[in-house]
Amino acid sequence: MRIWGMAALCIILAQPAAAEKVAIPFVPPVGRDLVYRIEQDRTVDGQKSRFSATRRLRFERAGEGYVLRATLRKIDSDAPSAATESFRAALTPLIDVEMAFRLDARGRIIALDDIDNVWAVVSQGQERMLEGFDPGSPRHRAASAVQALFTGLSAEGRLALLAGEYLPLFLFAGGDVEDGAAGRGVRTMAGSPLGRPVNVEGVLRMEDRQGEKVRLEERLAGDGVQVAVRYGLSTRSGLVEEQTRELTLGPRALTETRDLREAEVAR
């Protein structure tokens, strides 16, 4: 009986330890101005080009959830003007339009206050932009294509479009991450600069855990696409404060960085 017991103990000790789950709260900083900067580097017409957008954010408490007040403040690019037409056509009408997103207690965006009025302001901005371009010009064609896309959206599609750039902030809020060598399997879809969505899958692993910051790495692949994402996640607020995404498909590549910080120390 003693020999059987020792053998069983050896088998137990040989088993890999279960990964520790680290709970991620959702407690965003309330009443403080934040700057959220998104920057993309990709090759356009054989030239490495930068596209950037800077937004001002502020969280407020609202019942059991929160309100995120978000405003696109500026966009910029050093790409050739022809390559920025769609980028500017899509974002210019959103500049200085404040949006108040409703979030539940787990960090899920569930609504946008006064969405009809916000959409009307964006539509008016598109009309003003079109009036400033010569009919038939590349700028006019790009702006018309964006306007047609916006016009065809359902109510759910409008919310998804307006909220889309903020969703990466809340990827892990209200959930958990695993502190283990095996990591966690992930399936998702990769988009820009592919021009079409591609199914990718792989593993999310914790790289480092110090104080109130967790660093994660995600490596995904599918149909010739390779994606590597690194996250700097706050275990105090539950927000992704830093994110770097590298995506490649053959010769096409994109590097995107996202950075959230206090307004007074923003770049």
Side-chain angles (χ1 to χ4, degrees):
M1 179 67 70
R2 182 176 298 174
I3 294 175
W4 181 89
M6 289 297 293
L9 178 60
C10 289
I11 292 173
I12 293 172
L13 292 176
Q15 299 300 315
E20 178 189 355
K21 290 189 176 181
V22 179
I24 306 300
F26 179 54
V27 190
V30 172
R32 287 150 56 186
D33 289 333
L34 308 171
V35 170
Y36 189 40
R37 181 178 173 85
I38 304 172
E39 187 169 301
Q40 288 188 353
D41 291 305
R42 52 190 169 95
T43 302
V44 178
D45 297 333
Q47 173 183 320
K48 187 174 181 179
S49 301
R50 175 186 53 80
F51 298 79
S52 68
T54 303
R55 294 170 169 84
R56 181 63 60 93
L57 311 183
R58 188 178 181 89
F59 289 94
E60 298 174 358
R61 190 78 198 188
E64 295 184 356
Y66 297 86
V67 170
L68 168 61
R69 296 193 180 278
T71 307
L72 175 62
R73 300 305 300 270
K74 67 176 181 179
I75 60 175
D76 191 25
S77 178
D78 61 4
S81 59
T84 67
E85 286 161 0
S86 294
F87 169 74
R88 295 186 184 280
L91 294 182
T92 298
L94 298 173
I95 293 176
D96 292 332
V97 178
E98 182 180 288
M99 291 177 278
F101 294 100
R102 294 279 168 175
L103 294 92
D104 65 16
R106 292 176 57 84
R108 308 298 187 267
I109 294 178
I110 56 178
L112 172 61
D113 286 353
D114 204 9
I115 188 171
D116 290 339
N117 183 60
V118 170
W119 198 254
V121 172
V122 172
S123 298
Q124 291 165 9
Q126 289 177 326
E127 289 291 345
R128 288 194 299 271
M129 185 169 56
L130 277 167
E131 291 172 0
F133 299 151
D134 292 332
S137 67
R139 287 185 174 182
H140 194 279
R141 288 195 297 270
S144 296
V146 170
Q147 184 184 49
L149 172 65
F150 279 33
T151 301
L153 291 174
S154 64
E156 294 78 9
R158 293 175 179 180
L159 177 60
L161 183 140
L162 295 173
E165 289 293 6
Y166 305 101
L167 296 181
L169 288 167
F170 314 113
L171 280 176
F172 305 99
D176 59 66
V177 295
E178 294 181 2
D179 188 357
R184 176 182 293 175
V186 177
R187 290 185 179 180
T188 185
M189 301 189 78
S192 176
L194 306 177
R196 59 185 175 85
V198 174
N199 292 315
V200 291
E201 60 181 282
V203 177
L204 172 71
R205 292 188 178 91
M206 185 181 296
E207 287 189 313
D208 188 38
R209 180 181 174 189
Q210 294 185 1
E212 296 179 334
K213 178 66 70 70
V214 168
R215 297 198 177 277
L216 306 165
E217 181 183 59
E218 191 174 67
R219 290 196 173 273
L220 310 164
D223 195 18
V225 179
Q226 302 290 325
V227 185
V229 191
R230 293 177 179 83
Y231 304 96
L233 172 64
S234 168
T235 56
R236 171 185 286 183
S237 67
L239 298 174
V240 175
E241 297 177 337
E242 304 163 27
Q243 179 178 329
T244 300
R245 178 170 65 110
E246 298 174 347
L247 185 152
T248 58
L249 174 61
R252 287 184 286 176
L254 172 146
T255 298
E256 179 184 83
T257 59
R258 292 171 178 261
D259 180 85
L260 177 71
R261 62 183 65 193
E262 295 277 354
E264 61 266 26
V265 295
R267 288 182 293 172

